[in-house]
Amino acid sequence: MATVERDIDDLPKNAANYTALTPLWFLERAAVVHPDRISIVHGSIRYTWLQTYQRCRRLASALSRRSIGHGSTVAVIAPNIPAIYEAHFAVPMAGAVVNCVNIRLNGSTVAFLLEHSSAACVMVDQEYFSLAEEALKIIADKNKSSFKRPLLIVIGDESCDPVALQSAIRKGAIDYEKFLESGDPEYAWKPPADEWHSIALGYTSGTTSSPKGVVLSHRGAYIMALSNPLIWRINEGARYLWTLPMFHCNGWCFTWTLAALCGTSICLRQVTAKAVFSAIANQGATHFCAAPVVLNSLVNAPPEDTILPLPLPHLVEVMTAGAAPPPSVLSAMSSLGFRVTHTYGLSETYGPSTVCTWKPEWDSLPTDARARLHARQGVRYVGLECLDVVDHQTMLPVPADGATIGEIVMRGNIVMKGYLKNPKANEETFEGGWFHSGDLGVKHPDGYIEVKDRAKDIIISGGENISSLEVESVVYQHPAVLEASVVARSDERWGESPCAFVTLKGKVEEAGRAEDIMRFCKERMPAYWVPKSVVFGPLPKTATGKIKKHLLRARAKEMGTLRKSRL
């Protein structure tokens, strides 16, 4: 037997059969299997899978003819439009790395990203051309003698002012459609020689330091793209609504998943509750991904924005990730006719990498119990080999008691290659052979994990740890609260105490509401958890709808120390 095993193991790799794993093959297959099926819908634009494949090959060819290939980075600054979808295939078809840039960033941050990634080409939507101009000027002024202007391509869009497009072209940018015409629709692209080659680069938010460049591989993107439909109820031919920005973790790899499923991408340039309900009604959208803040906007949409009778005429599947959705929001979404799948992950794990897998036996539980179970982050994705909650000092797993807090760590094929040009950060984040998420959580007896907070968001009051997420979940239950975020505020007596930043619903008056919210919380949580400060107003958010807690922490610091706080 040992000899047979050795003989089997010693068989050489058959070069004729070996092909690197890459999601690029999904597009080629979609064009063969369903050449006439609609691949992309955007306003009046309709592309088939064959057309999308040809357009991607044209773009890859045009880039290659300008010596943009292996070792090059192509930056894309655009909202959810066909061109950014095409770039996810075309750029790696040319051998280059696609870097989708957050359109909400300022000029100096975009300049840092373009310079750090050594972008050889910048593709930019006409609405954001001035942002790209500003960023390139910052780089040019900083490197007067050595600056080499990248290839600049401007993308027109029917919903934007055509004057802006012509202005960009006059300034030396190449029109995207003209650029495609210079490429070959039959371009003979090749898969990467090694599946560990990089396919995408994305940057973290950089709230406390410079953004870090997260490098993803063809192999990881392939595995994640196929894990998505295995984890979620998204089937062949699905009609997927792009509420999640494609520039965020490459749309959680659903850019590539949609090609594998030969589905239809419904582009949404701007996300509003009315636009989401309209896409469900008029485009037959069956699936979308969104941060909890988007779900909250749907739950609280005025009747004139819902368009459709509620509950919805057909079931719509929703995947949510980001900050833990309050159980009240999950319950309300269900009553509207949405079925929510709760996931959790990071840019460093190709997007969501755990899922709160629903169990049939939970169906018979009371609504509140179901919502609490649903709010947990769950178990590892099919493509993630290892997940645990460990003591940060010993790296030993914490007991599965639902109470002992540790750090969530991961290991496997859908963990990033590493941070670009940042060996110190790589050493720290992969310490002990695990990827350290920086999130604190617990492990329940059934093996499901639950995030309790980011390490930096834990509030230490009188020596006791308070989870800001758990306080938020209670504040959200108040009938007048639309949005809430809780951070630590300096407290004269307790060291720190919870400070709640709140947006109220509709025309609710603020007068007397702070005391009302505090009383509401005191009836539902330990006294020392109750927010000692309540501040009203709109909450600052990222492009993906996450609340910018670092700005709220800064505001709490500006408010100064809370005097004579009492339990």
Side-chain angles (χ1 to χ4, degrees):
M1 179 65 72
T3 302
V4 172
E5 288 179 351
R6 185 170 62 250
D7 289 344
I8 291 173
D9 288 341
D10 288 345
L11 283 173
K13 181 162 60 178
N14 188 330
N17 287 335
Y18 175 76
T19 302
L21 297 180
T22 173
L24 302 181
W25 289 115
F26 302 152
L27 178 57
E28 184 267 346
R29 179 181 180 276
V32 171
V33 178
H34 291 291
D36 300 322
R37 178 179 286 176
I38 299 298
S39 58
I40 296 178
V41 174
H42 179 54
S44 65
I45 292 173
R46 301 288 187 278
Y47 292 134
T48 65
W49 277 112
L50 178 58
Q51 289 172 323
T52 293
Y53 185 40
Q54 290 172 336
R55 287 173 62 83
C56 289
R57 293 169 84 179
R58 281 186 180 276
L59 178 54
S61 170
L63 290 170
S64 296
R65 289 175 178 177
R66 288 161 176 80
S67 300
I68 295 173
H70 185 68
S72 303
T73 302
V74 176
V76 186
I77 307 173
N80 288 341
I81 57 175
I84 191 172
Y85 185 85
E86 292 163 354
H88 276 84
F89 293 91
V91 173
M93 277 178 171
V97 175
V98 62
N99 173 29
C100 297
V101 178
N102 188 331
I103 57 177
R104 303 291 177 83
L105 299 176
N106 59 28
S108 59
T109 306
V110 173
F112 172 85
L113 268 55
L114 298 181
E115 185 174 19
H116 186 264
S117 66
S118 304
C121 172
V122 178
M123 292 169 47
V124 56
D125 177 85
Q126 64 184 74
E127 183 180 350
Y128 300 94
F129 186 77
S130 60
L131 174 63
E133 269 192 313
E134 179 187 356
L136 291 174
K137 184 178 185 303
I138 291 171
I139 300 172
D141 290 345
K142 178 183 173 184
N143 307 280
K144 294 184 185 297
S145 60
S146 59
F147 176 70
K148 181 180 179 182
R149 181 183 171 93
L151 178 68
L152 191 57
I153 301 169
V154 61
I155 307 160
D157 191 77
E158 64 181 14
S159 66
C160 297
D161 182 2
V163 174
L165 175 62
Q166 295 306 315
S167 174
I169 293 170
R170 285 196 298 272
K171 292 178 180 179
I174 303 172
D175 177 74
Y176 179 73
E177 294 299 328
K178 293 289 185 184
F179 189 69
L180 259 61
E181 289 176 9
S182 71
D184 180 4
E186 301 299 319
Y187 174 66
W189 63 275
K190 296 179 180 179
D194 187 336
E195 60 198 27
W196 187 244
H197 283 174
S198 304
I199 189 172
L201 169 68
Y203 282 84
T204 61
S205 58
T207 56
T208 57
S209 60
S210 295
K212 296 190 287 289
V214 176
V215 183
L216 307 181
S217 71
H218 281 259
R219 176 182 178 83
Y222 179 96
I223 293 172
M224 185 63 165
L226 292 183
S227 289
N228 280 328
L230 290 174
I231 288 298
W232 198 24
R233 291 168 292 269
I234 181 166
N235 301 320
E236 203 268 353
R239 296 183 66 81
Y240 181 89
L241 178 64
W242 279 104
T243 51
L244 175 74
M246 290 187 224
F247 61 68
H248 182 57
C249 302
N250 305 103
W252 298 350
C253 292
F254 278 99
T255 44
W256 298 303
T257 296
L258 265 292
L261 298 177
C262 304
T264 298
S265 287
I266 304 167
C267 293
L268 194 58
R269 189 178 179 93
Q270 293 182 323
V271 179
T272 64
K274 187 174 183 178
V276 171
F277 283 113
S278 177
I280 294 170
N282 301 322
Q283 301 295 342
T286 58
H287 296 73
F288 67 87
C289 297
V293 66
V294 176
L295 310 191
N296 199 34
S297 71
L298 298 177
V299 167
N300 292 286
E304 60 269 22
D305 285 354
T306 59
I307 301 172
L308 291 158
L310 298 174
L312 298 171
H314 68 266
L315 180 68
V316 176
E317 298 282 357
V318 180
M319 179 180 282
T320 190
S328 57
V329 172
L330 291 173
S331 179
M333 284 290 288
S334 178
S335 67
L336 292 179
F338 296 97
R339 183 159 59 185
V340 180
T341 297
H342 180 206
T343 61
Y344 154 80
L346 306 95
S347 299
E348 291 89 340
T349 61
Y350 294 72
S353 49
T354 80
V355 57
C356 187
T357 299
W358 190 259
K359 297 183 177 181
E361 55 265 34
W362 296 348
D363 291 338
S364 59
L365 296 174
T367 302
D368 289 349
R370 290 201 308 269
R372 283 195 299 273
L373 289 170
H374 201 180
R376 300 184 301 172
Q377 281 62 39
V379 294
R380 62 184 175 86
Y381 248 48
V382 135
L384 180 68
E385 283 70 33
C386 303
L387 169 74
D388 214 335
V389 181
V390 302
D391 180 287
H392 185 71
Q393 298 300 321
T394 66
M395 289 301 295
L396 294 175
V398 301
D401 57 9
T404 306
I405 292 180
E407 185 181 17
I408 298 170
V409 293
M410 298 137 171
R411 185 164 57 207
N413 282 293
I414 56 172
V415 173
M416 66 170 179
K417 293 175 65 174
Y419 296 119
L420 180 67
K421 304 175 186 175
N422 201 333
K424 183 175 183 294
N426 286 330
E427 183 179 352
E428 292 172 353
T429 203
F430 288 111
E431 183 183 0
W434 288 88
F435 166 69
H436 292 257
S437 70
D439 286 328
L440 302 180
V442 299
K443 184 163 54 177
H444 289 276
D446 61 0
Y448 282 51
I449 68 166
E450 182 177 3
V451 173
K452 289 299 183 181
D453 228 330
R454 291 290 294 175
K456 61 190 174 187
D457 290 335
I458 284 287
I459 302 165
I460 305 174
S461 185
E464 298 284 351
N465 288 350
I466 302 173
S467 165
S468 66
L469 298 183
E470 293 196 25
V471 178
E472 288 166 10
S473 71
V474 175
V475 176
Y476 261 106
Q477 295 174 27
H478 192 286
V481 172
L482 176 66
E483 296 174 334
S485 186
V486 175
V487 299
R489 180 183 177 186
S490 177
D491 189 292
E492 184 178 46
R493 182 176 183 185
W494 306 109
E496 292 179 347
S497 63
C499 175
F501 289 87
V502 172
T503 302
L504 296 173
K505 293 179 181 177
K507 299 180 181 179
V508 174
E509 295 290 335
E510 294 180 5
R513 193 60 65 182
E515 293 76 12
D516 180 40
I517 290 173
M518 291 180 191
R519 282 194 300 270
F520 180 88
C521 291
K522 194 169 184 180
E523 294 170 358
R524 292 163 173 81
M525 63 174 66
Y528 70 94
W529 286 20
V530 175
K532 308 299 187 293
S533 318
V534 179
V535 182
F536 298 108
L539 304 182
K541 300 185 185 73
T542 68
T544 57
K546 291 182 181 179
I547 294 169
K548 296 181 177 180
K549 278 199 168 184
H550 67 288
L551 296 182
L552 297 182
R553 283 194 292 270
R555 285 176 60 185
K557 186 175 182 179
E558 291 172 1
M559 291 163 61
T561 301
L562 185 64
R563 306 297 177 185
K564 298 181 181 179
S565 173
R566 294 289 183 267
L567 285 178

